[in-house]
């Protein structure tokens, strides 16, 4: 089945069929679904080379995969990519993935744009006053940011989680339970989300005349081993915290291991709240003591970023009513949190 044959079968122009398959907004949903159903039933697949010549589009989304000899595979990156891939498949888009170290990311983005191999791309792992945004704004292709960059104007399309609000609410909940000594196992200090989570924690503590002890803060790659080491170091100090905030359930996995080794009972001796990205292989409700979490789905964020980016590619603009999306986070209370120990 080729495009001409599909056109004759459906009684639609070849242009309409191409636009329906590629997600152009001017094709109504009923027609789009009719075309997609017929394409699936007949096994029709657009000819990539012909499609690119006809539309001037590569049919690809670009992304930079951060790499570092110090970091293992990142489950959070993989989960976000899973959501992005779901939507890309629906719209028949491919990925062009370019690995790059932090210091080479700007050059990698310039290469992607200049190569003509992508129609748009997204930026992630944002940092304070991130120079990649200004650079992306100077280039010719649509882009969207997953996250935000603290210290610069939000004059760009983004989708972010309210990281400050999430950790502010989590800290306030623990304060209401009587906790006063807190620890924070956070992501890398140079990343925007980690900065905002620390800011939310400190704001809630300051309202009660309290402060985070610098000895109780760890900024690391968000892995199991890092959570274990960080928690073990903190527990070895003279003033053991009774409340712990973890920037990821992966960090919490290691932290719980350290607490178990120290024979501390979760939810009784120490309360713990983790940021839950709904990771399918690490569900907080399946921990031996189910974790209280601030809930946010990386997969759903990946899907939404892909939807908006593909819309921008087809229309030349972000057609969403709001360029900046800031997702609120729910606090889900389970057994890992309880009143502060009586002695405290």
């Amino acid at each position: 089945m080729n495009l001409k044959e599909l056109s004759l079968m459906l009684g639609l122009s070849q242009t309409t069929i191409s636009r329906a398959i590629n997600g152009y907004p001017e094709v109504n949903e009923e027609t789009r679904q009719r075309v997609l159903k017929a394409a699936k039933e007949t096994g029709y697949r657009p000819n990539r080379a012909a499609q690119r010549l006809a539309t001037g589009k590569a049919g690809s989304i670009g992304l930079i995969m951060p790499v570092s000899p110090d970091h293992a595979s990142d489950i959070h990156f993989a989960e976000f990519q899973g959501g992005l891939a779901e939507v890309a498949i629906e719209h028949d888009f491919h990925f062009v993935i370019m690995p790059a170290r932090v210091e080479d990311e700007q050059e990698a983005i310039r290469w992607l744009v200049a190569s003509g191999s992508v129609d748009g791309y997204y930026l992630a792992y944002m940092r304070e006053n991130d120079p990649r945004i200004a650079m992306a704004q100077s280039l010719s292709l649509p882009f969207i940011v997953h996250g935000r960059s603290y210290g610069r104007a939000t004059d760009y399309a983004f989708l972010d989680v309210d990281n400050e609000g999430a950790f502010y609410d989590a800290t306030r909940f623990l304060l209401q339970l009587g906790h006063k000594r807190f620890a924070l196992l956070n992501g890398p200090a140079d990343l925007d989300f980690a900065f905002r989570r620390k800011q939310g924690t400190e704001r809630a503590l300051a309202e009660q005349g309290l402060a985070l002890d610098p000895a109780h803060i760890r900024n690391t790659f968000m892995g199991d081993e890092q959570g274990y080491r960080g928690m073990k170091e903190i527990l070895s100090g003279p003033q053991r915290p009774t409340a712990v905030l973890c920037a990821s359930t992966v960090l919490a996995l290691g932290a719980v291991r350290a607490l178990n080794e120290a024979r501390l009972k979760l939810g009784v001796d120490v309360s713990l709240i983790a940021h839950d990205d709904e990771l399918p292989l690490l569900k907080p409700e399946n921990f031996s003591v189910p974790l209280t979490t601030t809930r946010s789905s990386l997969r759903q964020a990946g899907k939404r970023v892909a939807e908006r980016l593909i819309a921008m590619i087809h229309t030349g603009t972000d057609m969403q009513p709001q360029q900046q999306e800031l997702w609120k986070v729910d606090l889900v209370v389970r057994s890992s949190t309880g009143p502060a120990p009586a002695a405290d």
Side-chain angles (χ1 to χ4, degrees), residues 194-216:
F195 171 83
R196 292 181 192 271
R197 290 174 188 179
K198 181 172 181 280
Q199 194 172 49
T201 303
E202 290 178 328
R203 180 159 63 92
L205 289 173
E207 290 176 357
Q208 300 301 316
L210 301 171
L212 268 175
D213 184 344
H216 290 171

Side-chain angles (χ1 to χ4, degrees), residues 1 8 28 60 73 86 113 135 138 141-142 148-149 159 176 182 191 205 212 233 249-250 255 268 286 311 331:
M1 177 68 66
L8 290 171
N28 68 57
S60 299
S73 177
E86 284 185 40
V113 173
M135 184 210 69
S138 72
L141 286 187
R148 283 175 291 168
S149 175
L159 183 149
Q176 289 164 3
F182 284 70
L191 295 184
L205 289 173
L212 268 175
E233 289 170 2
T249 49
V250 185
V268 178
N286 292 341
L331 179 65

Side-chain angles (χ1 to χ4, degrees), residues 176-190:
Q176 289 164 3
L177 291 171
H179 294 276
K180 295 180 180 179
R181 296 200 303 275
F182 284 70
L184 175 62
L185 299 180
N186 207 353
D190 64 327

Side-chain angles (χ1 to χ4, degrees), residues 285-307:
E285 61 268 29
N286 292 341
F287 277 64
S288 56
V289 176
L291 299 184
T292 295
T293 58
T294 53
R295 175 183 286 168
S296 173
S297 171
L298 273 169
R299 183 167 289 265
Q300 290 302 317
K303 292 174 71 171
R304 181 61 177 155
V305 164
E307 289 168 354

Side-chain angles (χ1 to χ4, degrees), residues 5 21 63-64 67 96 125 151 209 228 326 335:
E5 291 168 339
I21 289 172
L63 55 107
I64 305 300
V67 295
V96 175
Y125 295 98
Y228 170 74
L326 185 62
S335 304

Side-chain angles (χ1 to χ4, degrees), residues 33-218:
Q33 292 305 321
R34 183 180 164 216
V35 170
L36 292 175
K37 181 174 182 290
K40 185 176 182 180
E41 290 174 349
T42 60
Y44 170 74
R45 297 282 294 176
N47 181 295
R48 275 283 171 195
Q51 191 178 45
R52 182 168 183 173
L53 285 172
T55 64
K57 303 291 187 184
S60 299
I61 294 171
L63 55 107
I64 305 300
M65 184 175 72
V67 295
S68 166
D70 301 324
H71 291 177
S73 177
D74 189 347
I75 190 174
H76 309 92
F77 182 78
E79 183 65 8
F80 181 87
Q81 292 304 119
L84 198 79
E86 284 185 40
V87 173
I89 289 171
E90 291 175 11
H91 293 273
D92 200 24
F93 267 74
H94 293 174
F95 286 165
V96 175
I97 302 176
M98 187 170 185
R101 292 184 174 85
V102 171
E103 62 271 21
D104 299 325
E105 285 184 31
Q106 290 192 62
E107 187 61 32
I109 294 167
R110 288 194 186 96
W111 182 90
L112 273 178
V113 173
S115 71
S117 58
V118 300
D119 301 313
Y121 55 98
Y122 82 89
L123 302 176
Y125 295 98
M126 303 308 295
R127 301 172 182 86
E128 183 178 359
N129 290 309
D130 202 308
R132 291 175 296 166
I133 294 175
M135 184 210 69
Q137 289 173 325
S138 72
L139 300 175
S140 58
L141 286 187
F143 75 96
I144 186 169
V145 172
H146 179 218
R148 283 175 291 168
S149 175
Y150 185 80
R152 65 153 295 140
T154 51
D155 55 348
Y156 50 90
F158 72 76
L159 183 149
D160 196 11
V161 166
D162 185 5
N163 290 295
E164 181 178 347
F167 274 57
Y168 174 82
D169 290 344
T171 304
R172 283 194 63 191
F173 175 70
L174 290 166
L175 287 166
Q176 289 164 3
L177 291 171
H179 294 276
K180 295 180 180 179
R181 296 200 303 275
F182 284 70
L184 175 62
L185 299 180
N186 207 353
D190 64 327
L191 295 184
D192 180 88
F193 77 82
F195 171 83
R196 292 181 192 271
R197 290 174 188 179
K198 181 172 181 280
Q199 194 172 49
T201 303
E202 290 178 328
R203 180 159 63 92
L205 289 173
E207 290 176 357
Q208 300 301 316
L210 301 171
L212 268 175
D213 184 344
H216 290 171
I217 302 171
R218 293 295 182 277

